[in-house]
Every structure is written in structure tokens, then in C-alpha cells.
Amino acid sequence: VLPWAKPLMVEGKRTCHGVKLFGFVFAASALLVTARGHNGEYTLRDPQSVEEAINILNEIERLAEDQWSQHSRHLSSSEQELQVGRGLSPRPWFQEVVDRYGAPPRQHPQRYSRDGRRLSVLAENNTAPIRFHLNFDTLYEDKVQANPFTKDRYCFREGEWFRIGYPGEKPSGSGPDGCGDRTTTVVHGDKWCLCTVTDLITDQMRNFVIYATTEVMKQVPGFFSVKPLEDELKFRNFEGSYPAMWQTTGQSGYACDPDCQKGMHVVVPDSMCTVGVAADAVMSVSMPPPLPGVGGAATFC
């Protein structure tokens, strides 16, 4: 999943100049005993325990607050205003969850031996250039709003409410939102905020992101080869790898590729679990409201 950074902020307006693709996403899974995260090594937690899920949410929130506090202390006010275009890349929330639970299980059969993916057994005669399916569904309002896991998480009109984290009922008024100046300060916790003009996914921006991403991804197969799948790539329709976490965040229920939908808030069409796609990997692109100091972020799910 690749959340695209918003374009460089110039005098309160957005421009497409200087926007770059900051990362690629590759699907992988493994059976882990411990997981090394950004802040050290964790003993894996029980994915069925609601108590553990609550503890993990609190840990991640404290970590995010500490990291932003440390980062902001090194920036002057003038530097903070320019941070949107600086290309910083924090670890996504879902990656912190994975660090504490372990990687999600494999969803589709792979043509690799059980003893690992050893480079010594891969050669030109048994591999082929990697094939990516690009999923842009999360850039479209109708698809976002029809999905319970992505509904109200993206901005398409100025003055509308969007949610950060997992807040309660959506406000009915027109504000104020209590989110402060989001161009210089990161909003922590579970809150409803009002969309500003710099948050919007416009037709122009959507078209630009689709074009730029598609052009860049055409080059990727020239750098990576894999053992191609023997049939269509399909995901699973199930509760998800971390049921207690999804229950605690109010996201219970079956879904196609639920960890991506619930953990990264991207739209995954049901067809990816029924028909599948002719690809070795799927890259989903989203454009959440920008954070100061963040140029982009990506992870696997």
C-alpha cells in the first residue's frame, strides 16, 4: 500500500511540481517468533486478546507522540511550514501493529520452498519480471464512501468531516473541529477533523497520481524478477489476522484482504477474492490528508 504524499505546499496552494513516488510495496509473509520493530524487539502478542489490543493501541499512540515531539524540536517554525515536500517517511500505523503481532499469514500459494526464498535457487530460467496490478480504487469518492473501513477517511470536498483514528459518531455541525493547525501539528488520538483545500483529492490530482504512478511502475519489472504464479493472484475473504485489534477498533466482520482494508484503509474490490488478477503483487495507492513533515509512506499488508 502506498499512501501518496500531498504535493509541495507553496503559499497555501498545491502544485504538482516536485512530487515523487517514494516507495514500492512487495507482499511477503513468514512465521515469526519475534519481530524487530522501529523501537526495538517485541515478543509477539495474542491476536485474540482484547486487553492486548488495547495495550498495543496505547503503545503505538505514545510512540507516535514521542516521535513527533522529538522531530518538531529540531525544526524552526519556518522549516515546519516546508515539511510537506521534504520527503520524510514515518512507519505506517499498520506496520507498528505487525511488529507486535507478527506478519499476516500468506493468502495465496507461492512457488517457493519451505526453507526460505534463497537467491541461490533463483535464475533467469525459472523467474520472470514481476507483474504488478495497480489498485487506484481508494482515489474515488464513491468507492471510498461505500466501504465501511474507508468511509470518511479521505477528503473530496472542503468543509466536510473526515476521521483520524477511530472516533465515535460523526459530528453533525460545521465546526470548529478542535484539530488545530494541521499544517504544522500532527493530530493524535481519535478525532473528527474538517477537510481543508489542501486535503482534497480532486480530479486533477487523481489523474496526476494515476499517470505518474503508472509511468514509474512500468520500470519496476526491469529490476525485479520472481517465480510467476501459476494462476490468478487471489486474496482471502476472512476476519483478518488480528481479530481482537479489529474488534477493538470497531472493524469486525469479513472482508476481502481484510488486513489491508482495516489496517491501511484502502479499498480492495471483492473481485480480488473471487476472480483474482493476473499479477504477482498488488499495489494500492491512497491519498490521505497530509501530515506536516511527511513526504510519503508505504508498507505491506
Side-chain angles (χ1 to χ4, degrees):
V1 177
L2 178 65
W4 254 78
K6 291 293 184 179
L8 181 65
M9 302 293 297
V10 179
E11 296 181 356
K13 299 181 180 180
R14 301 201 301 173
T15 172
C16 296
H17 299 294
V19 181
K20 298 181 180 179
L21 187 63
F22 291 103
F24 301 109
V25 178
F26 299 90
S29 62
L31 181 62
L32 303 178
V33 178
T34 61
R36 183 173 298 278
H38 182 73
N39 202 35
E41 188 170 283
Y42 304 100
T43 299
L44 297 191
R45 319 284 263 278
D46 179 6
Q48 304 292 337
S49 169
V50 172
E51 181 180 359
E52 286 280 33
I54 294 173
N55 290 337
I56 289 172
L57 287 171
N58 290 334
E59 289 173 15
I60 295 174
E61 182 64 22
R62 287 194 299 269
L63 178 63
E65 291 177 355
D66 290 345
Q67 289 176 340
W68 170 251
S69 177
Q70 293 172 14
H71 174 64
S72 60
R73 282 199 298 267
H74 291 84
L75 299 176
S76 67
S77 59
S78 60
E79 287 177 320
Q80 289 184 23
E81 293 175 358
L82 298 175
Q83 284 303 297
V84 173
R86 284 181 175 249
L88 302 181
S89 181
R91 305 181 83 239
W93 178 88
F94 181 72
Q95 188 60 58
E96 297 290 350
V97 171
V98 170
D99 282 347
R100 290 158 175 79
Y101 282 126
R106 181 175 294 163
Q107 296 191 52
H108 190 96
Q110 302 289 313
R111 297 175 59 195
Y112 295 92
S113 61
R114 290 182 179 273
D115 60 349
R117 301 181 177 185
R118 297 182 299 171
L119 293 177
S120 59
V121 301
L122 300 179
E124 291 186 6
N125 61 1
N126 65 2
T127 62
I130 190 170
R131 300 167 301 161
F132 271 94
H133 173 81
L134 304 181
N135 173 25
F136 296 110
D137 283 8
T138 316
L139 303 182
Y140 292 89
E141 182 179 11
D142 58 338
K143 296 177 181 179
V144 164
Q145 293 301 94
N147 185 308
F149 309 118
T150 59
K151 181 179 174 63
D152 295 326
R153 290 200 175 274
Y154 299 90
C155 288
F156 297 91
R157 273 176 290 278
E158 187 176 3
E160 293 190 343
W161 293 96
F162 75 95
R163 52 181 170 149
I164 294 175
Y166 304 93
E169 186 176 353
K170 182 179 179 178
S172 57
S174 58
D177 57 11
C179 295
D181 182 2
R182 291 189 291 106
T183 64
T184 59
T185 305
V186 172
V187 177
H188 296 288
D190 305 318
K191 294 183 179 179
W192 286 96
C193 298
L194 289 170
C195 296
T196 66
V197 67
T198 58
D199 300 321
L200 304 185
I201 301 176
T202 63
D203 290 343
Q204 179 185 11
M205 285 306 306
R206 177 172 54 247
N207 293 338
F208 170 75
V209 168
I210 292 174
Y211 171 78
T213 304
T214 301
E215 289 301 304
V216 170
M217 292 304 292
K218 287 178 181 178
Q219 304 175 37
V220 176
F223 298 98
F224 299 95
S225 289
V226 298
K227 286 188 175 182
L229 298 178
E230 295 179 341
D231 52 5
E232 303 295 280
L233 173 62
K234 291 183 181 179
F235 297 117
R236 288 176 55 203
N237 190 305
F238 68 118
E239 175 73 27
S241 304
Y242 319 115
M245 176 59 70
W246 305 145
Q247 176 186 343
T248 303
T249 54
Q251 299 183 103
S252 296
Y254 277 50
C256 180
D257 194 13
D259 294 325
C260 272
Q261 298 211 59
K262 299 177 181 183
M264 288 300 298
H265 302 129
V266 293
V267 177
V268 179
D270 290 340
S271 61
M272 289 191 183
C273 283
T274 55
V275 179
V277 292
D280 301 299
V282 173
M283 187 175 82
S284 296
V285 181
S286 66
M287 292 184 66
L291 300 175
V294 176
T299 188
F300 74 93
C301 53

